[in-house]
Amino acid sequence: MLTDYSLKMPKNIHAGEHALEQLEEILSDDIQKIVIFTDKGLLKLGLVDVPIKIIEEKGINYTILSDIPAEPNYHQAQTMIDEFKKEKADFIIAVGGGSVMDVAKLASILATDEYTVKDLLENPLLAKKQVTSLMIPSTAGTGAEATPNAIVGVPEKDLKIGIVNSEMIADFVLLDGRMTKDLPKPIAASTGVDALCHAIECFTSAKANPISNTFALEALDLIMNNIIEACTNPDALDAKRKMLLGSFYAGIAITASGTTAVHALSYPLGGKYHIAHGVSNAILLTPVMKFNEPVIKDLLAVAYDRVVKDGDKELSVDKKSTYMINQLEIIVKVLEIPTSLKTFNVPEEDLDGLVAAGMEVTRLLVNNKREVTPEDARNIYLQIM
Ligand SMILES: NC(=O)c1ccc[n+]([C@@H]2O[C@H](COP(=O)([O-])OP(=O)(O)OC[C@H]3O[C@@H](n4cnc5c(N)ncnc54)[C@H](O)[C@@H]3O)[C@@H](O)[C@H]2O)c1
Ligand SMILES: [Zn+2]
């Protein structure tokens, strides 16, 4: 475990049944222009209606930018930011999943012509916060509302790359259960498993520490005990609210520690085949946990004691650890998320390229407690081919 550690997080967080209404108090009279980042689907679903109503009642000028594709590459993110710059906004609201929030976070530090997203891919720390930002997540989720990260596709590398700069951390976060109430099951499932991965990876990360463990364990408890109910029962509002909180906590855990080989090996699957982020993590979750098991058993046993409400505390570490990995596998299966790359017609001859691209994600591979050699990465990818 790390001996020195710290945490940066959003300054103002409102959660609960009426968190959206807090916007009224947050929007001060000196705000001249708001840009709302969202996507077309969410606009159509009316998920931006409450914020728009509050902004209009306050008489503040606003523009909606909704041309954000799911999982944008850096060119697409830059196009949106160029649009944003024309608006000369002094307040950003993001309503959406990780794709929308990540673009909005980049915009909050790229409001002038000084730097581009491409510059940040080379040196993420160049830019400073320029515009106040408020995040309203609509998936539960990436936890992007909590993190200093923005993930963009880099087509020329067939990879997704995380830009990490604490200046991107949101100033305000509103966690409102209404946002995820009608999430379609496949999206709820894959984004929920993404949050699950954040929690279990951060708890077993080489960068884990007392602060990140506090959030990762609580996130794991909330997510493992609510994900199936939240994804399969449209009326399970309490479970959905707990997922939203769990994914936020898991985002804080990412900020305080870091994800590991599940996310590292998943980036080429998103970058090259455009497999949704949550799905590619779900595919890798069990194989990577089994690979890591010899060195994380004790931690999985601690997680068992916390998460399994009717568990037997007297069980051996081996049994607790096996139980936890089985549960992760069961969650992915019950939620009917693909467990193999066969679903995406990935040819076996791509294996070498996948291994090479996965091994490039050293930012996250160094967090994996068991060293991942190219041979190990190849074996893991082979298992999911
Ligand atoms: N910044 C971070 O810390 C971080 C962490 C993990 C992942 N990510 C990134 O976030 C992106 C993925 O975000 P995501 O998983 O939230 O999905 P997403 O934002 O890509 O959204 C997926 C789809 O779900 C739809 N959707 C979202 N909310 C909905 C709702 N409430 N009802 C109906 N439809 C809804 C969207 O319109 C979109 O079509 C990826 O690019 C990933 O790499 C970022
Ligand atoms: Zn993730």
Side-chain angles (χ1 to χ4, degrees):
M1 199 182 295
L2 288 189
T3 49
D4 295 290
Y5 40 91
S6 61
L7 170 66
K8 287 187 180 156
M9 59 186 285
K11 293 185 206 73
N12 305 278
I13 300 136
H14 299 277
E17 285 174 48
H18 304 98
L20 283 183
E21 276 72 16
Q22 294 298 321
L23 193 56
E24 201 175 327
E25 268 183 44
I26 293 169
L27 295 178
S28 58
D29 293 337
D30 56 347
I31 295 172
Q32 300 292 318
K33 176 79 190 263
I34 297 172
V35 161
I36 303 176
F37 285 95
T38 188
D39 70 35
K40 293 255 183 295
L42 301 178
L43 257 185
K44 227 177 176 176
L45 287 170
L47 287 177
V48 197
D49 289 358
V50 174
I52 290 175
K53 184 165 171 277
I54 295 172
I55 294 167
E56 287 183 347
E57 279 168 4
K58 294 214 119 204
I60 304 174
N61 199 356
Y62 71 97
T63 298
I64 299 174
L65 297 181
S66 62
D67 274 330
I68 303 179
E71 314 222 359
N73 63 41
Y74 76 91
H75 302 290
Q76 293 165 322
Q78 187 63 52
T79 303
M80 293 310 299
I81 291 165
D82 291 340
E83 287 301 308
F84 162 77
K85 285 196 280 195
K86 292 182 200 154
E87 304 296 331
K88 307 266 179 262
D90 54 357
F91 201 93
I92 288 172
I93 297 179
V95 182
S99 301
V100 167
M101 289 191 281
D102 281 358
V103 172
K105 284 158 68 179
L106 285 166
S108 74
I109 62 168
L110 293 173
T112 61
D113 289 330
E114 213 172 343
Y115 304 112
T116 61
V117 182
K118 189 166 192 281
D119 294 330
L120 298 189
L121 283 169
E122 275 145 36
N123 182 356
L125 300 179
L126 283 174
K128 297 269 177 270
K129 174 70 83 54
Q130 292 158 333
V131 183
T132 306
S133 63
L134 180 149
M135 303 287 133
I136 307 176
S138 69
T139 58
T142 62
E145 69 277 11
T147 70
N149 308 5
I151 321 286
V152 288
V154 180
E156 54 273 33
K157 288 195 172 175
D158 281 342
L159 254 186
K160 296 190 77 176
I161 291 187
I163 296 169
V164 185
N165 178 339
S166 58
E167 297 282 326
M168 277 193 285
I169 292 179
D171 298 285
F172 297 91
V173 174
L174 305 184
L175 302 173
D176 193 309
R178 281 171 285 181
M179 300 305 295
T180 58
K181 200 165 91 24
D182 300 316
L183 258 180
K185 185 185 160 200
I187 301 177
S190 61
T191 55
V193 170
D194 183 28
L196 174 60
C197 292
H198 296 161
I200 193 81
E201 286 178 72
C202 288
F203 186 61
T204 56
S205 170
K207 290 212 181 103
N209 59 73
I211 295 177
S212 65
N213 285 349
T214 302
F215 287 98
L217 264 186
E218 179 63 12
L220 200 61
D221 191 353
L222 286 166
I223 295 166
M224 286 188 79
N225 287 307
N226 289 285
I227 188 168
I228 291 178
E229 177 79 357
C231 294
T232 54
N233 176 0
D235 300 322
L237 291 186
D238 188 49
K240 287 170 196 253
R241 266 185 226 118
K242 286 178 173 153
M243 281 299 295
L244 198 55
L245 205 53
S247 65
F248 175 67
Y249 289 162
I252 298 179
I254 293 182
T255 313
S257 63
T259 53
T260 60
V262 177
H263 269 67
L265 299 181
S266 150
Y267 278 166
L269 304 180
K272 190 166 166 67
Y273 311 107
H274 305 289
I275 301 172
H277 178 74
V279 174
S280 56
N281 289 329
I283 292 173
L284 282 158
L285 178 59
T286 307
V288 171
M289 283 298 139
K290 284 187 176 160
F291 171 78
N292 281 345
E293 191 179 11
V295 301
I296 62 168
K297 271 182 194 180
D298 289 343
L299 294 169
L300 292 176
V302 172
Y304 171 99
D305 287 339
R306 171 67 172 267
V307 168
V308 185
K309 299 303 168 198
D310 54 357
D312 175 1
K313 296 250 186 319
E314 304 306 318
L315 277 185
S316 67
V317 164
D318 276 1
K319 289 216 163 94
K320 286 179 180 174
S321 161
T322 307
Y323 180 92
M324 287 300 285
I325 294 179
N326 283 344
Q327 282 307 111
L328 298 175
E329 195 166 16
I330 288 169
I331 286 172
V332 174
K333 288 219 170 103
V334 169
L335 293 178
E336 298 171 319
I337 307 172
T339 49
S340 156
L341 294 179
K342 287 197 179 63
T343 317
F344 303 95
N345 301 318
V346 174
E348 266 205 56
E349 55 266 31
D350 283 8
L351 189 58
D352 287 343
L354 273 178
V355 172
M359 292 307 294
E360 267 201 45
V361 191
T362 49
R363 175 176 78 86
L364 303 181
L365 284 176
V366 294
N367 297 346
N368 206 66
K369 284 208 163 165
R370 181 169 173 193
E371 189 196 349
V372 182
T373 64
E375 201 44 42
D376 297 328
R378 165 179 283 275
N379 282 335
I380 291 171
Y381 281 130
L382 258 180
Q383 286 175 50
I384 60 169
M385 279 291 194

